[in-house]
Amino acid sequence: MAALARIALTEAEIDQFASELSVISDAVAAVSEVASPDVPATSHPIPLANVWREDVVASPSVDREEVLAMAPESEDGKFKVPQILGEE
């Protein structure tokens, strides 16, 4: 694998990673033994639920113009930031 990834490894590193890969492979095999088509895949052992709260404006609030005045750049009442995704 290291050769395919073009990673130079010492003999000690190869021995270490080989034993670690063996442990990982054994763990996957153990899970594969109990996993069957009738066992649904899950990402969490217990169901998750979102807890929402009402969005309430607090008083006193920070003045938008005051905050934007401290920003390096602003435009149309918003922070102006550098373009990063090549979008217009």
Side-chain angles (χ1 to χ4, degrees):
M1 279 196 226
L4 291 174
R6 297 183 180 157
I7 299 172
L9 297 175
T10 65
E11 287 299 319
E13 289 171 325
I14 291 171
D15 292 339
Q16 175 189 349
F17 294 142
S19 66
E20 290 175 2
L21 188 57
S22 176
V23 170
I24 292 169
S25 178
D26 292 344
V28 169
V31 170
S32 296
E33 289 175 12
V34 295
S36 64
D38 58 322
V39 176
T42 59
S43 61
H44 296 282
I46 56 173
L48 299 178
N50 287 329
V51 178
W52 301 98
R53 65 169 173 82
E54 290 298 318
D55 207 7
V56 179
V57 177
S59 275
S61 184
V62 179
D63 181 62
R64 177 189 299 224
E65 295 306 318
E66 183 181 340
V67 172
L68 290 175
M70 292 185 275
E73 288 188 71
S74 65
E75 185 176 286
D76 298 326
K78 302 175 201 135
F79 293 108
K80 185 173 181 179
V81 297
Q83 178 178 329
I84 60 169
L85 298 176
E87 298 174 348
E88 295 279 332

